[in-house]
Amino acid sequence: MANIAAVTDAEFEAQVLKSDKPVLVDFWAEWCGPCRQVAPILDELNAEHGDKLTFLKMNVDENPVTPSSYRVTGIPTINVYQGGEVVKSIVGAKPKAALLKELEGII
């Protein structure tokens, strides 16, 4: 996930909740196989739709506060925030076509 910037607990409110445009946050961890599967798909989506949607990633091991406050219990979890609220939550690795379908109306 080299192309997607990381966000920390400390930066979450400013970068995600107060963003002018929708923000997709990928909650992940180094040891998570499905997280590694979905990473290149998110890189592609970022390249294709980064103008409409901000893509960020959060390592749940390094930043435990935010995932627990949003009840992220399984990873990967992909949440889309708009106006400070979660408008979409996708749990588990999905192929690109399925992610695009889930994100219809947002991108």
Side-chain angles (χ1 to χ4, degrees), residues 1-80:
M1 288 211 300
N3 303 344
I4 297 178
V7 64
T8 64
D9 284 335
E11 303 162 335
F12 192 81
E13 184 178 351
Q15 288 194 14
V16 178
L17 302 181
K18 294 185 173 171
S19 175
D20 294 338
K21 66 181 183 177
V23 181
L24 180 148
V25 180
D26 174 27
F27 293 95
W28 71 288
E30 289 285 343
W31 48 264
C32 168
C35 297
R36 286 194 299 272
Q37 286 179 312
V38 83
I41 298 168
L42 291 174
D43 281 341
E44 283 179 38
L45 292 176
N46 184 27
E48 295 164 11
H49 303 285
D51 55 331
K52 299 183 221 69
L53 184 65
T54 301
F55 286 76
L56 297 171
K57 63 180 180 172
M58 177 174 275
N59 185 316
V60 297
D61 291 334
E62 295 170 5
N63 301 281
V65 175
T66 303
S68 71
S69 67
Y70 286 97
R71 293 181 177 79
V72 173
T73 54
I75 54 173
T77 291
I78 298 166
N79 281 353
V80 179

